[in-house]
Amino acid sequence: MRTQVAIVGAGPAGLVLAHLLATNGIESVVLESRERDYVERRIRAGVLEQGTVDLLHQLGLDTRLRREGMVHRGIELRFEGQSHRIPLSDLTGGRAITVYGQQEVVKDLIAARLEVGGQILFGAEAVSIDDITSTRPLVRFRHEEQIETLEADFVAGCDGSHGVSRSAIPAEVLQIFQKDYPVAWLGVLAAVAPSTEELIYAYHQRGFALHSMRSPQLSRLYVQCTPDDQLDNWSDDRIWSELHQRFAMDGWSLAEGPLVDRSITPMRSVIAEPMQYGRLFLAGDAAHIVPATGAKGLNLAVSDVRVLAGALADWYSSGRTELLERYSGTCLRRVWRVEHFSWWMTSMLHRFDGEGPFEHRLHLSQLRYVCGSTAAATSLAENYVGLEQV
Ligand code: FAS
Ligand code: PHB
C-alpha cells in the first residue's frame, strides 16, 4: 500500500488529522489496531475546549455535537461544604466548554471519513515504523494475520500512550519528562440524571471528586483513589458513600443510579521531546499525557494535529519545510502550558498522602483566592476553555 500520509491510530488525533489533510487535498490512510466498535465504545474524555468545537464546526463535523453537546459557561469549585462558581464565559469574552463524550467525537469522525471514502483500516496493528529519515518511510502492520506495509511521504504517530510510534525515535534523540502523581481517578458512568447543571470539582479531606456528565440521563463521576487501587476494592456502596461525603453541601443532594461503566486511570504527566524525527511526527497521547484534572488530553491532541496539518499542507503546496521543521517546538509551547495548568489543577484539588493541617490550610487558602479574585479566576477560566494563543 502507498499513500501520502500514513496515520497510526484512529483516536481523536489520528481522525482529526485525516479530516484536516483531506480538506487540503492530501491523501491519508489511518491504521487502527482495534475494531471499529471497540474504539467507538471506549469511554474517555468528556470536555471539548472552545477551539476544538470551533474546528469541528469549520470541518462540518459538528451536526450531532451541536444537537447533543452541552455548552457550559461555568464550573463549580466545591470545598468546605460550599460551592463557588467560576463564570468561564463572563471571564473569557464568551468562550465556553462543551460536554460531549470522546467516544461520540470518534463515532462522528469515523462515520464522516468513511462516508467520503476515507481510508481507515481497523484491526491493523502497526508493528514497526521504518526508514523515517528517508523520503519514503514505511509502516509495517499486522492485518488479518498478514504483515503488510504502507509506504508514505510522512508518518503521523497518533497511536496513544501505548503505541509504537514514539519508540521509532532513537532513544539517544528522545527525552522523556515524566511525573507520576500519587493519585488516580476511579471513574464511573451512572445511569441517572446529573445532580448539577455544571461540572463540580470538589476538594475534600477524604479526597477529590468530580461530577461531570455525558447526557441529561447519564452522569460521569470520578473519585480520587490510590494509583495501585483496584476496582474490586470499590463496591457500588463505597463509591456512592465517598461521592456523597466529598460533595456534601446543605440543600444539595447527589442522585444515585446503576453504574454502567467503571475504570481507574492514574494521574500522570509525560512529555516526549522532540515530537518529530525525520518524516515521523508524533501527535496527541503518543507525545504527551496530562492528568485529566484540566480536561485537556483530547483537546491537546487536536491542537497538535492542527499544527501538523498546516505544516504538511504548506509542504505539499509549496515545498516549504519551515513549518514542518518547527512542528515540535510549536506544539511543545502549548503542551507545557497545558501540562502546567493540569499540574496546578491537580495539586490544588487533590489531597496527597502525608499532607497535614498545614497543607490543608494551604489548599483552602488557594481555593478561596481562586474563587474570590477576578484575576485568579480569569487565569483558571482562560486556561480551562483553552487559550487562543500560547
Ligand atoms: P488515543 O489513545 O485516543 O488513540 C490512539 C489510538 O491508536 C487508539 O485507538 C489505539 O487503539 C490505537 N493504537 C495504539 N497502538 C496502535 C498500533 N500499534 N497500531 C495501530 N493503532 C494503534 N482526557 C480527558 O481530557 N479527560 C478524561 O476524562 C480522560 N480520561 C481518560 C481515561 C483513560 C482510561 C485514558 C487512557 C485516557 C483518558 N483521557 C482523558 C485522555 C484521552 O482522552 C486522550 O488524551 C485522548 O484519547 C488522546 O487522543 P489520541 O492522541 O488520539 O490517543
Ligand atoms: C469528563 O467528563 O470525563 C471529565 C470532565 C472534566 C475533567 C476530566 C474528565 O477534568
Side-chain angles (χ1 to χ4, degrees), residues 295-318:
K296 291 297 170 199
L298 180 155
N299 298 293
L300 202 50
V302 171
S303 61
D304 288 346
V305 295
R306 206 174 184 157
V307 175
L308 182 54
L312 288 167
D314 212 32
W315 186 86
Y316 277 105
S317 60
S318 65

Side-chain angles (χ1 to χ4, degrees), residues 66-85:
R66 271 185 296 115
R67 194 174 61 239
E68 298 175 18
M70 296 169 278
V71 177
H72 286 196
R73 304 194 179 285
I75 59 171
E76 286 183 32
L77 301 187
R78 186 170 293 183
F79 54 97
E80 290 195 303
Q82 302 247 308
S83 249
H84 307 264
R85 185 170 188 263

Side-chain angles (χ1 to χ4, degrees), residues 44-47 185 199 201 210 212 214 220 222 292-295 384:
R44 280 194 173 164
V47 169
W185 284 11
L199 273 61
Y201 287 81
L210 169 62
S212 183
R214 285 293 177 274
R220 177 69 164 159
Y222 296 95
T293 327
Y384 195 85

